[in-house]
Amino acid sequence: MGVAYSFTDWNSRSVLNGIHFVGLDNFKEIFTSNKDYLSGIGNTLKFTIISNIVKLIPALLIAIMLQEGLKGKGLYRTLLYLPSILPFVIIGLVFKSILNYNNGLLNAILDGLHLGILKQKWLSDLGVVWKSIYGVDAWRGIGYVMTIFLAGLNTIPRSYYEAAEIDGANFWQRLRYVTLPMLSGAIMINLVFGITYGLKVFDIVYVLTNGGPGHATEVLTTYAFQLYSRGQYGMSSALNSILLLITAIAGVVIVKTLGKQEVQQ
């Protein structure tokens, strides 16, 4: 129904005027009439790519460290996973307070350590606001990604590593030729979940910055939310349809690509 409404002028006045088919007019406006919408699409894609990188790589390395028998690994697993079960709205509100420039905890700690030169307007400076969003997102998500990698690592027979060690393979060679190929299933799951999450991200951006400063951190979902709040339901549905299309294409490409690799292995 949402896709169908994206081709109409459905709005808050449609109760009186009715809903009319307008073809591709909503999509033309998104791609030609308003540059803010295009920047929102760009921000969504940028967040999807970078947020996956800053979570996947550290989570994989942490999972390998814990799998190798790190002392107290059960405690570390629990502590790293706990943030992922917290509601993102709560996390956003807490970090919005921590990252406040005037009375936030982070800048207060920097002052206490006589490192005031490192203080930043974490949520209002164009140069650091996205870094702050990525940092909060990674804090919450790394534990979840790590758990999936740990499940994948537990399925790899120990004899593979023993054979590689006998052949003289070092840590990086074992990682490249044994661990990563055998983790293709876990990597695919994390990528699909991560890309789907990244493309439909809303809560962290809305709570931390509300799309600001200016429109610097607006994403597709925040624009769709604003349009819907203003009664422009057809335009909001058009943005969501674009998001649906991008998500579907990305998911199919990842599953097919990694699925073929898994079959070959």
Side-chain angles (χ1 to χ4, degrees), residues 4-15:
Y5 280 127
S6 67
F7 297 100
T8 71
D9 63 353
W10 182 31
N11 56 64
S12 56
R13 298 183 301 277
S14 294
V15 175

Side-chain angles (χ1 to χ4, degrees), residues 30-47:
I30 290 171
F31 288 106
T32 62
S33 302
N34 193 323
K35 293 182 180 179
D36 288 340
Y37 293 145
L38 293 179
S39 68
I41 295 173
N43 285 341
T44 301
L45 296 176
K46 180 178 72 172
F47 176 86

Side-chain angles (χ1 to χ4, degrees), residues 7 9 42-43 46 51 56 66 83 114 121-122 134 153 156 158 160 162 170 176 190 219-220:
F7 297 100
D9 63 353
N43 285 341
K46 180 178 72 172
S51 68
L56 285 172
L66 294 176
H114 304 291
K121 295 181 178 179
W122 303 103
Y134 296 138
L153 288 170
I156 303 176
R158 188 65 194 172
Y160 289 8
E162 293 171 353
N170 58 32
R176 178 180 178 184
N190 276 325
V219 290
L220 272 173

Side-chain angles (χ1 to χ4, degrees), residues 139-157:
W139 181 82
R140 181 185 187 267
I142 282 179
Y144 179 80
V145 178
M146 173 205 71
T147 302
I148 294 176
F149 279 138
L150 282 171
L153 288 170
N154 284 328
T155 65
I156 303 176

